[in-house]
Amino acid sequence: MLNSHKTGLFAAAFLAAAALSPASPAGERKGRPWTFEDILLVPEVNELALSAGGRFAIYSAEIADTGAKRTRAQIRIVDIRARTQRSIAHADIAKSLKRIPNSGDWSGLLDIGEGLQLYRIAADGKISPIVENRDVVLVGKADLSVAMGGGAPPHEIGVLAYDWSPDGKSLWYSQLKAKSGPPPIRFDDAASSLRSRRRSSIEAEVEFFLRAPDGSIDKIITRPTSDRMAMHAGGKVVWRGDDIFFRIETPDGTPGSVFETRAWSRKQKRMRVVSNERDARTLTMLRGPYGGSLSATGTGALLDFVENGPGEERHRYGRFAFTISDRNYAASRDGRKAIVGTRSLETSRYGLALVQRTGVREIYGAASLSKCSFDDRLSHAICVEEGVSMPPRLVRVDLARGGIEPIVTISPRHNEIAPLQVRARTWINRDGYKATGYIIYPRDFRAGTRYPAIVITHGFDADERFAKAENQWNYPAQLFAERGYVVLLINDPLPYQSANLRAAYSAWSRGSGPPNPETVRRLIWIEGVHSLVDAIGELAAEGLIDPARVGIAGYSRGAQMVNVAITQTQIFSAASSGDGGFLEPSGYAGWPASYDPVYGGSPMSEHFEQYRRFAPSLNARKVCTPVLQQVAAASPSQAELFDALRAAKVPTQLTYYPGTSPASDETHIFHIPSNRMLAMRENMAWFDYWLRGKRDTDAPFPERFAVWDRMAENGRPRCGIAESVR
Amino acid sequence: MLNSHKTGLFAAAFLAAAALSPASPAGERKGRPWTFEDILLVPEVNELALSAGGRFAIYSAEIADTGAKRTRAQIRIVDIRARTQRSIAHADIAKSLKRIPNSGDWSGLLDIGEGLQLYRIAADGKISPIVENRDVVLVGKADLSVAMGGGAPPHEIGVLAYDWSPDGKSLWYSQLKAKSGPPPIRFDDAASSLRSRRRSSIEAEVEFFLRAPDGSIDKIITRPTSDRMAMHAGGKVVWRGDDIFFRIETPDGTPGSVFETRAWSRKQKRMRVVSNERDARTLTMLRGPYGGSLSATGTGALLDFVENGPGEERHRYGRFAFTISDRNYAASRDGRKAIVGTRSLETSRYGLALVQRTGVREIYGAASLSKCSFDDRLSHAICVEEGVSMPPRLVRVDLARGGIEPIVTISPRHNEIAPLQVRARTWINRDGYKATGYIIYPRDFRAGTRYPAIVITHGFDADERFAKAENQWNYPAQLFAERGYVVLLINDPLPYQSANLRAAYSAWSRGSGPPNPETVRRLIWIEGVHSLVDAIGELAAEGLIDPARVGIAGYSRGAQMVNVAITQTQIFSAASSGDGGFLEPSGYAGWPASYDPVYGGSPMSEHFEQYRRFAPSLNARKVCTPVLQQVAAASPSQAELFDALRAAKVPTQLTYYPGTSPASDETHIFHIPSNRMLAMRENMAWFDYWLRGKRDTDAPFPERFAVWDRMAENGRPRCGIAESVR
């Protein structure tokens, strides 16, 4: 049995982390300091694929392109043995890079000027079309687009998703099709759903096709764009003999929804319903060696790793300190081996777990392993390896033996930077809840000095990744450290640690308790704030930070935490709240199912009292800290908080970052490099001004200093410091 | 002195009204009944201009064009002496038709395919450009447009407004200019103002120019589009010697705003500020014979007609039973005579008042006189004459002697219809407030029969005009009467009748009391509802209507009245509420200054209790009648009311009427003929179903009957009839 046997890499990882710890002498710095540009230009690799023979790999590095006003993809081919790479093309978008079975080529969805289309990419870099759909459909936050959630920058889609049959001869793919004709008259819910409209949109459908080896094409099914499975995981199918298994969402009105697995018979050209499930947690079907579905369940320091199905069968692989995800899922052709991506419960590091009937082998690198591509036999993989202070590189992982060897670096520019000192840490708050995270030490850190500090929080995204916008957004964590701040990247308490927490999160996502709203608020927000406050208390007690100069920053989920923290505690001296708004009363109309478990119902009801106690805008008078809101949405909730803070004489600013034109918006995670740069510099100026009384000479909007001066003068004085750290 | 001397026409008007009364025998019908198409095709004349010699007139009839999916303008030239007319052109829009001084031609802003541009129109019908601005700017409720209020259908503007100097040699005009460059980063209020955004918009400015006789052009001033005077009255200037007087709005944050009069000196090419005023009530400067400004003030059955200025001077012309407006304003060249449009306080009929130092002469026709064009000496005018059951026609008015003679009919189709029996009526409610209005009797009305009734209400628009969409919106009043309903067009109590009412309205428009919110609610809404209830009670007592089958309909202001009426009384058995929403809590964010005087402040505050008592959605459980909402906005407030009614098990439907494409919206007063037609038929089916238990075979959405049946079955029973008429 391999259960719980680590690959031996853990020790190495530990040593690597120790080498980055503040215990290493400050004088050993190699390289240069961070710049804002460095943060802006951190590459993100989301696509990586081995070639069929395993000798080459293709990947795409998404890097901000200031001239193009967007992130663009650099597509590179790597010679694994030679450890060399070359850039073969640029694309606005590169998605779903896959090897074409029984060929030396890859395929990918590329936007190289014609919208997202399916192309063949030969090993020599030649790009040729496979499926081109000229009737592209605009998606994302733009006029006349199909809504796709806040995350997608506006782009055009010809081909939405695809997959190859194991022999490479059949092609499954999906397209968007705009509905034609004038807009329909809408009744009832279809009309009231327009209440939160911010832009025009168009209606479209998702059409699925199968191209047979002879080139003939069958249309398989048409799904509405409200089917999230069809919109976001249309290429995640399972080819089994004559059948193709795929999933669709058939909403039943519950937030968890219902997902149906269907099978298309290639021979009979008929579809059948295989099964359905509620609350699907993964977009991929994670099949284990027994043919069932893999998951990690339970609560505590270790979770049960199990395989459910087929049918009533259930296999237990043991208890492990990781959660699993579908990001690195693969299965061998014979189905006897599977790989799942893991995330360590202890260090938030990403790794792999090789699953066989005989047991589970965990594989961790010196830092996180992610975006892996596996050979068909699951004998080795190529992955991205990166850490909080380790720039991403490609590594080859020997899955059987566990060896990991670096292949190529992804961003030479970031290798030039002297790594900042970073230490992973777990804090236990007053109520016993654990929160993980990282301390980034100021450049030239000297023990015995108290530093001003900035907490950055975003759900569970403080993990072993390199300067990820998903976590640090427009908060220039590395630059804060360069300028002498202690930076604390702190996660919310992980729900896996306690049945209570898990029940609260589950009520939130389900749309109703139990537990009751007050308990949900305590477990999901107040306990998180206690974690932050107690962590700060601990670090102040250790002499690391100056408790009178602590700022807090977070976007989205993090903005909820910022807004609750500043209304429920008095320990922060400056705050930056990014594109948030959930919890404010005016958000109810758009997200009733998310509000109900938190407040019991609409603010326009007997539940108003619950809002009065907790909604940040209704508690603005308790705020003792200046609050900057940087937003892409300019939503009613954001305006509501701004108005309330200003009415309460709290120094506050609302900064709206627009899209590239009036026809489109900036996205929740900013995609426009100039906006991101200005927002980072605005944060630096904001915290320098309020935490250290400094006027940043690099402030992007220097005319705002006069406004801040007026607010500082006229705003209410900071609440008593004496009672602040409690 | 001419004071209070009527022209003698009043008696004739009285006789004309009497002829239409139900006293006339039913058998005398001439002509055919009304159809839905007749209502749709009622022409609206907004532009009418005499030629310089007075022999011809030009006018534009705006008529729904189903093929064009909009209202289009038919431009016609009338030979006044011959009493003939011919259509010379069609345009998407025709605005600001004026004669060109010292020429036989007219000018006008026409959209004939190039956006709104300034053209010359010769007496022979030839059209040629005067000013063409190719950089058109899209305005109205559409993507990438300049916002212009809810009323403007999307259209392109090259030239916005203009005026000729008295000698016809100089031309004053304005254009819109789109601001170029990427959208700006916005701070604070400029950011929070986006909270209610429903579509993308662009920024633009208004530029004013003066073209001198030699063709040279000076740019006079650039104004923001937030300057309502510049946007909506840019051509309303006064030429006085070398000076051109015009007004600009310089907002100071108060709802009343501040308006500045400026003068441009043509010789010195310099501008000076002449004066400024708060709360300007008219877009035109209504100059009287003394050089001051004309207005009607005070309260009661008669108002004081006064001229204020110049300086501290003040002249009183006496007390009259009319209010004045700028719709028919004109002044003689020597400034010694002025004409203002009047609206009778008694009958809501439009007329004219000739103002001289010697006194005021009132001029009324058999029905309303409006859209008049005057000769330079103010000796005669050509006007539109129309009444509630009199189709519009052009008449010549002898201003000195008061004679009125018909010239041409505007819509032969509507002359074919047998006029419905209509009677003007004034009701006095339980608290002594008077409300004016009209009763339209069912076709083939027989005294002694009780009829089902439908109340249509929209502020003060139940006046002497012919089937105006501004009043009856998508409620097919004439068809209701054809189908056997008594139709009541009832105004709100006119504020001029009482200092209390006037103070309440003034608090509402000013954004703050006194009076206090409860009093404002009582005077502006409850008293209006009492008027409706007491009018119905009176007519039920007279045996005219069946109180168990009374419906209520109103859009906009009327929708407020509908929504309050159904939550505060139980007398209605069906309701149709059109594109409303004001009074609901979620409307606060967009219109705080309009809500504050009504509720005291935001619903998210200690004022919530006031909302709980009055906001229709928060009183949905009291509603005893099915409620249809037909909307163009699909605003949060409309959705809020729909949700609340449904939760209270009140039969309800929300129908959203879209724009012609996803890039634009239907407007508050529907401009898309197919939408208007469907909405009228939907109202007919709705009232027939709930008031008479009939399934209209002409129902536009017959599949909704099954939904209505379910609602009728599952919805709460109608509240007790016994206590309903109180």
Side-chain angles (χ1 to χ4, degrees):
Chain A
M1 294 286 280
L2 296 170
N3 285 0
S4 286
H5 287 242
K6 303 242 163 87
T7 59
L9 279 167
F10 185 75
F14 183 78
L15 289 173
L20 296 169
S21 84
S24 66
E28 278 186 24
R29 185 204 293 189
K30 276 184 217 155
R32 60 175 180 80
W34 279 84
T35 64
F36 282 109
E37 285 72 18
D38 290 328
I39 302 178
L40 188 69
L41 297 174
V42 166
E44 180 151 354
V45 174
N46 284 314
E47 297 294 334
L48 177 56
L50 277 173
S51 65
R55 198 181 141 193
F56 298 99
I58 192 169
Y59 75 98
S60 145
E62 294 170 24
I63 301 172
D65 182 331
T66 312
K69 295 188 179 177
R70 55 168 301 148
T71 293
R72 297 191 79 223
Q74 296 183 14
I75 303 171
R76 300 172 187 163
I77 291 180
V78 181
D79 182 326
I80 294 172
R81 233 177 298 159
R83 300 192 180 186
T84 58
Q85 61 182 332
R86 66 199 175 91
S87 186
I88 59 147
H90 283 71
D92 279 357
I93 303 173
K95 275 181 65 177
S96 304
L97 298 182
K98 303 182 184 189
R99 61 180 168 268
I100 303 176
N102 295 318
S103 118
D105 300 343
W106 293 276
S107 53
L109 297 173
L110 308 182
D111 185 342
I112 49 177
E114 312 283 336
L116 214 54
Q117 306 287 359
L118 181 58
Y119 294 93
R120 173 183 296 266
I121 308 169
D124 65 3
K126 198 174 147 256
I127 294 176
S128 52
I130 298 173
V131 177
E132 274 183 308
N133 169 21
R134 296 287 171 203
D135 293 329
V136 294
V137 172
L138 188 63
V139 302
K141 285 178 76 179
D143 289 347
L144 297 178
S145 297
V146 172
M148 237 197 167
H155 64 284
E156 287 175 332
I157 290 184
V159 179
L160 181 64
Y162 75 98
D163 197 35
W164 295 106
S165 62
D167 62 4
K169 291 183 178 161
S170 294
L171 175 67
W172 170 272
Y173 65 97
S174 59
Q175 298 180 172
L176 284 180
K177 181 170 183 177
K179 286 190 191 170
S180 56
I185 289 170
R186 293 162 173 253
F187 298 101
D188 301 345
D189 291 320
S192 68
S193 69
L194 296 174
R195 76 174 97 201
S196 307
R197 183 187 78 173
R198 310 296 309 276
R199 287 196 170 275
S200 60
S201 63
I202 56 169
E203 309 271 320
E205 292 173 324
V206 187
E207 294 184 331
F208 285 88
F209 300 93
L210 181 65
R211 194 176 81 182
D214 66 3
S216 66
I217 293 171
D218 285 316
K219 191 195 270 191
I220 307 301
I221 192 171
T222 299
R223 298 295 305 157
T225 53
S226 59
D227 178 335
R228 291 172 293 174
M229 208 54 89
M231 275 298 273
H232 301 292
K236 305 218 172 196
V237 299
V238 172
W239 304 76
R240 189 169 294 172
D242 183 47
D243 284 341
I244 303 164
F245 290 79
F246 62 97
R247 291 194 295 177
I248 60 171
E249 182 180 15
T250 50
D252 64 348
T254 66
S257 210
V258 172
F259 295 86
E260 231 175 58
T261 300
R262 297 205 177 182
W264 172 260
S265 158
R266 288 193 267 177
K267 222 171 265 164
Q268 301 172 354
K269 301 206 170 188
R270 269 167 51 188
M271 188 145 50
R272 66 181 197 278
V273 176
V274 176
S275 65
N276 71 56
E277 56 180 321
R278 269 178 199 283
D279 303 325
R281 288 186 193 286
T282 60
L283 291 169
T284 309
M285 290 170 272
L286 301 178
R287 258 168 220 289
Y290 294 95
S293 164
L294 298 169
S295 63
T297 63
T299 50
L302 300 173
L303 303 182
D304 285 321
F305 189 45
V306 300
E307 183 172 347
N308 289 313
E312 298 300 302
E313 283 183 51
R314 183 179 165 97
H315 296 274
R316 301 183 49 155
Y317 290 97
R319 291 168 63 77
F320 297 87
F322 62 70
T323 60
I324 64 174
S325 79
D326 54 0
R327 295 168 69 140
N328 280 324
Y329 171 75
S332 62
R333 286 230 196 149
D334 59 10
R336 296 175 64 175
K337 279 198 279 190
I339 287 271
V340 292
T342 63
R343 188 179 194 255
S344 145
L345 289 173
E346 295 143 1
T347 60
S348 304
R349 176 167 299 176
Y350 293 92
L352 300 171
L354 178 64
V355 189
Q356 293 172 275
R357 293 199 177 190
T358 47
V360 172
R361 178 202 293 276
E362 289 181 75
I363 302 169
Y364 286 104
S368 285
L369 296 174
S370 64
K371 317 297 157 79
C372 304
S373 175
F374 305 90
D375 69 340
D376 286 338
R377 289 170 302 132
L378 297 194
S379 68
H380 65 269
I382 188 159
C383 300
V384 174
E385 187 181 44
E386 65 178 333
V388 174
S389 61
M390 178 201 280
R393 59 184 185 180
L394 295 193
V395 296
R396 185 177 186 279
V397 181
D398 184 325
L399 296 169
R401 280 185 291 271
I404 294 178
E405 44 173 347
I407 305 296
V408 291
T409 188
I410 289 167
S411 182
R413 143 178 220 129
H414 293 94
N415 287 341
E416 294 166 6
I417 302 168
L420 286 160
Q421 299 178 21
V422 175
R423 184 176 272 173
R425 180 143 171 181
T426 296
W427 291 274
I428 298 179
N429 80 5
R430 67 195 77 173
D431 303 308
Y433 292 101
K434 276 194 299 189
T436 58
Y438 294 88
I439 302 172
I440 306 179
Y441 290 83
R443 184 71 79 188
D444 303 326
F445 168 72
R446 281 191 296 181
T449 309
R450 281 186 187 273
Y451 291 89
I454 296 172
V455 177
I456 299 173
T457 182
H458 180 257
F460 312 111
D461 277 314
D463 52 19
E464 268 287 9
R465 288 181 299 170
F466 187 69
K468 270 287 175 289
E470 218 170 322
N471 184 49
Q472 69 183 59
W473 204 61
N474 304 321
Y475 311 115
Q478 295 71 19
L479 263 286
F480 287 146
E482 295 286 357
R483 294 247 192 135
Y485 291 93
V486 165
V487 179
L488 307 173
L489 309 176
I490 307 185
N491 284 316
D492 293 322
L494 256 189
Y496 302 98
Q497 69 188 281
S498 119
N500 281 350
L501 276 180
R502 208 153 173 173
Y505 274 96
S506 149
W508 194 20
S509 84
R510 195 172 52 230
S512 65
N516 65 29
E518 198 183 333
T519 307
V520 168
R521 295 200 296 268
R522 180 174 58 78
L523 290 168
I524 299 185
W525 288 274
I526 301 291
E527 287 300 349
V529 168
H530 286 173
S531 290
L532 302 180
V533 171
D534 295 347
I536 289 160
E538 236 177 276
L539 299 175
E542 291 169 14
L544 177 63
I545 66 174
D546 173 359
R549 292 185 296 164
V550 179
I552 182 167
Y555 83 103
S556 194
R557 163 65 183 168
Q560 298 165 23
M561 296 305 291
V562 170
N563 300 350
V564 171
I566 59 175
T567 43
Q568 305 275 335
T569 77
Q570 304 189 349
I571 74 162
F572 296 103
S573 301
S576 184
S577 174
D579 208 35
F582 182 78
L583 291 179
E584 301 305 347
S586 65
Y588 182 83
W591 312 95
S594 297
Y595 274 70
D596 287 342
V598 179
Y599 289 114
S602 156
M604 286 298 131
S605 70
E606 70 276 17
H607 304 290
F608 176 59
E609 178 57 23
Q610 308 232 22
Y611 287 81
R612 209 190 47 72
R613 277 186 232 147
F614 195 68
S617 65
L618 300 179
N619 289 275
R621 273 163 307 184
K622 301 181 191 157
V623 176
C624 301
T625 173
V627 184
L628 170 65
Q629 285 188 83
Q630 298 175 314
V631 301
S635 71
S637 293
Q638 293 162 356
E640 188 171 30
L641 179 60
F642 171 74
D643 285 351
L645 290 168
R646 192 165 55 171
K649 296 200 189 305
V650 175
T652 191
Q653 178 169 312
L654 177 63
T655 311
Y656 166 77
Y657 286 88
T660 50
S661 88
S664 65
D665 287 322
E666 181 54 283
T667 42
H668 189 46
I669 296 181
F670 286 15
H671 73 281
I672 302 170
S674 57
N675 278 346
R676 194 148 184 251
M677 189 58 129
L678 290 168
M680 287 197 290
R681 289 168 51 204
E682 186 180 39
N683 276 313
M684 180 61 80
W686 181 259
F687 283 111
D688 265 4
Y689 181 90
W690 295 103
L691 290 183
R692 309 208 289 190
K694 284 175 62 174
R695 282 162 199 271
D696 183 7
T697 52
D698 191 38
F701 314 113
E703 71 282 6
R704 300 299 299 178
F705 282 130
V707 182
W708 300 355
D709 288 345
R710 261 198 315 279
M711 294 193 305
E713 213 166 287
N714 303 332
R716 24 184 275 154
R718 275 202 67 219
C719 313
I721 205 86
E723 48 173 8
S724 71
V725 184
R726 289 184 301 191
Chain B
M1 294 284 281
L2 295 170
N3 285 359
S4 285
H5 287 243
K6 303 245 163 82
T7 58
L9 280 166
F10 184 75
F14 182 78
L15 289 174
L20 296 169
S21 83
S24 67
E28 279 185 24
R29 185 204 294 188
K30 277 184 216 155
R32 60 174 179 81
W34 278 84
T35 65
F36 282 108
E37 285 73 18
D38 290 328
I39 301 178
L40 188 69
L41 297 174
V42 165
E44 180 151 356
V45 174
N46 284 314
E47 297 295 332
L48 176 55
L50 278 173
S51 63
R55 195 179 142 192
F56 299 99
I58 193 168
Y59 76 97
S60 143
E62 293 170 25
I63 301 173
D65 182 333
T66 311
K69 295 187 179 178
R70 56 169 299 148
T71 292
R72 298 191 79 221
Q74 297 183 14
I75 304 170
R76 300 171 187 162
I77 291 180
V78 181
D79 182 327
I80 295 172
R81 232 176 301 158
R83 303 194 179 184
T84 58
Q85 62 183 330
R86 66 198 175 93
S87 185
I88 59 146
H90 282 71
D92 279 356
I93 303 172
K95 275 181 64 176
S96 304
L97 298 182
K98 303 181 184 190
R99 60 178 170 268
I100 303 176
N102 295 318
S103 116
D105 300 342
W106 295 275
S107 53
L109 297 174
L110 308 182
D111 185 340
I112 49 177
E114 312 283 334
L116 214 54
Q117 306 287 358
L118 181 58
Y119 295 93
R120 171 183 297 266
I121 308 168
D124 65 3
K126 199 176 146 251
I127 294 176
S128 52
I130 297 173
V131 176
E132 275 185 307
N133 168 22
R134 295 286 170 204
D135 294 328
V136 294
V137 172
L138 188 62
V139 302
K141 284 179 77 178
D143 290 347
L144 297 177
S145 298
V146 172
M148 240 199 164
H155 64 284
E156 287 175 333
I157 290 184
V159 179
L160 181 63
Y162 76 98
D163 196 36
W164 295 105
S165 63
D167 62 4
K169 290 183 179 161
S170 294
L171 175 67
W172 170 273
Y173 65 97
S174 60
Q175 299 179 171
L176 284 180
K177 180 169 184 178
K179 286 191 192 171
S180 56
I185 289 170
R186 292 162 173 253
F187 299 100
D188 301 344
D189 291 321
S192 68
S193 69
L194 296 174
R195 77 174 96 201
S196 306
R197 183 187 78 173
R198 309 297 310 275
R199 286 197 172 275
S200 60
S201 62
I202 56 169
E203 309 270 320
E205 292 172 326
V206 187
E207 294 183 332
F208 285 88
F209 301 92
L210 181 66
R211 195 176 79 182
D214 65 3
S216 67
I217 294 171
D218 284 316
K219 190 195 270 192
I220 307 302
I221 191 171
T222 300
R223 298 295 305 157
T225 53
S226 59
D227 178 335
R228 291 172 293 175
M229 206 56 88
M231 276 296 273
H232 301 291
K236 305 218 172 196
V237 298
V238 172
W239 304 77
R240 189 169 293 171
D242 183 48
D243 284 340
I244 303 165
F245 290 79
F246 63 98
R247 290 194 295 177
I248 61 170
E249 181 180 16
T250 50
D252 63 347
T254 65
S257 209
V258 172
F259 297 86
E260 231 175 58
T261 300
R262 298 206 176 182
W264 171 259
S265 158
R266 288 193 267 177
K267 222 172 266 164
Q268 300 171 357
K269 301 206 171 189
R270 270 168 50 189
M271 187 145 51
R272 68 182 197 277
V273 176
V274 177
S275 65
N276 71 55
E277 55 178 322
R278 270 176 199 282
D279 304 325
R281 287 186 194 286
T282 60
L283 292 169
T284 308
M285 290 171 271
L286 301 178
R287 262 172 215 288
Y290 295 95
S293 164
L294 297 169
S295 63
T297 64
T299 50
L302 301 173
L303 303 182
D304 284 321
F305 189 46
V306 300
E307 181 171 348
N308 290 314
E312 299 299 304
E313 283 183 51
R314 183 181 166 94
H315 298 272
R316 301 183 50 156
Y317 291 95
R319 292 169 61 76
F320 297 87
F322 63 69
T323 59
I324 65 173
S325 79
D326 54 359
R327 295 168 69 140
N328 279 325
Y329 171 75
S332 63
R333 286 230 196 148
D334 59 10
R336 296 175 64 176
K337 280 198 280 188
I339 288 269
V340 292
T342 62
R343 186 178 195 258
S344 144
L345 289 173
E346 295 143 0
T347 61
S348 305
R349 176 167 300 176
Y350 294 91
L352 300 171
L354 178 65
V355 189
Q356 292 172 273
R357 293 198 177 192
T358 48
V360 171
R361 178 203 294 277
E362 289 180 77
I363 303 169
Y364 287 104
S368 285
L369 296 175
S370 62
K371 320 296 156 81
C372 304
S373 175
F374 305 89
D375 69 339
D376 288 338
R377 290 170 302 132
L378 296 193
S379 67
H380 65 270
I382 188 159
C383 300
V384 173
E385 187 180 43
E386 65 177 332
V388 175
S389 60
M390 178 202 280
R393 59 185 184 179
L394 295 192
V395 296
R396 185 175 185 281
V397 181
D398 184 325
L399 296 169
R401 281 184 292 270
I404 295 178
E405 45 174 344
I407 305 296
V408 292
T409 188
I410 289 167
S411 181
R413 137 176 229 135
H414 293 94
N415 287 342
E416 295 165 4
I417 302 169
L420 286 160
Q421 299 179 21
V422 175
R423 183 177 272 172
R425 182 144 170 180
T426 295
W427 291 275
I428 298 180
N429 80 6
R430 66 195 78 173
D431 303 308
Y433 291 101
K434 274 194 301 188
T436 58
Y438 294 87
I439 302 173
I440 307 180
Y441 290 83
R443 185 72 78 187
D444 302 328
F445 167 73
R446 280 189 299 181
T449 308
R450 281 185 187 273
Y451 292 89
I454 296 173
V455 177
I456 299 174
T457 182
H458 179 257
F460 312 111
D461 277 314
D463 52 20
E464 267 287 9
R465 289 182 297 171
F466 187 68
K468 269 288 175 289
E470 219 170 321
N471 184 50
Q472 69 183 60
W473 204 60
N474 304 321
Y475 311 115
Q478 295 71 20
L479 262 287
F480 287 146
E482 295 286 358
R483 293 247 192 136
Y485 292 93
V486 165
V487 180
L488 308 172
L489 309 176
I490 307 185
N491 284 315
D492 293 322
L494 256 190
Y496 302 98
Q497 69 189 280
S498 119
N500 280 349
L501 277 180
R502 209 154 171 172
Y505 274 95
S506 150
W508 194 20
S509 83
R510 194 173 52 231
S512 64
N516 65 28
E518 198 183 334
T519 307
V520 168
R521 296 199 297 267
R522 181 174 57 78
L523 290 168
I524 299 186
W525 288 274
I526 301 291
E527 288 299 351
V529 168
H530 285 172
S531 290
L532 302 180
V533 171
D534 295 346
I536 289 160
E538 235 176 275
L539 298 176
E542 292 169 12
L544 176 63
I545 66 173
D546 173 359
R549 292 184 296 163
V550 179
I552 182 168
Y555 82 103
S556 194
R557 163 66 183 168
Q560 299 165 22
M561 296 305 291
V562 170
N563 300 349
V564 172
I566 59 175
T567 43
Q568 306 275 335
T569 77
Q570 305 189 350
I571 74 161
F572 296 105
S573 301
S576 184
S577 173
D579 207 37
F582 182 78
L583 291 178
E584 301 305 348
S586 65
Y588 182 83
W591 312 93
S594 297
Y595 273 72
D596 287 342
V598 178
Y599 289 114
S602 157
M604 286 298 129
S605 70
E606 70 276 17
H607 304 290
F608 176 59
E609 179 56 24
Q610 309 231 23
Y611 286 82
R612 209 190 49 71
R613 276 186 234 148
F614 195 69
S617 65
L618 299 180
N619 290 274
R621 272 164 307 185
K622 301 180 192 157
V623 175
C624 301
T625 172
V627 184
L628 170 65
Q629 284 188 84
Q630 299 174 314
V631 301
S635 71
S637 294
Q638 293 162 354
E640 189 170 29
L641 180 60
F642 171 73
D643 285 350
L645 289 169
R646 193 165 55 173
K649 297 200 188 308
V650 175
T652 190
Q653 177 169 314
L654 177 62
T655 310
Y656 166 77
Y657 285 89
T660 50
S661 87
S664 66
D665 287 321
E666 180 54 281
T667 42
H668 190 45
I669 296 182
F670 287 15
H671 72 280
I672 302 170
S674 57
N675 279 344
R676 193 144 186 255
M677 190 58 129
L678 289 169
M680 287 196 291
R681 288 168 50 205
E682 186 181 39
N683 275 313
M684 180 60 80
W686 180 259
F687 284 110
D688 265 4
Y689 181 91
W690 296 104
L691 290 183
R692 308 209 288 191
K694 283 175 64 174
R695 283 162 200 271
D696 183 6
T697 52
D698 191 37
F701 314 113
E703 71 283 6
R704 299 300 298 179
F705 282 130
V707 182
W708 299 355
D709 288 344
R710 261 197 316 278
M711 294 193 304
E713 214 166 287
N714 303 332
R716 26 186 273 153
R718 274 200 66 217
C719 314
I721 206 84
E723 47 174 5
S724 71
V725 184
R726 289 184 301 193

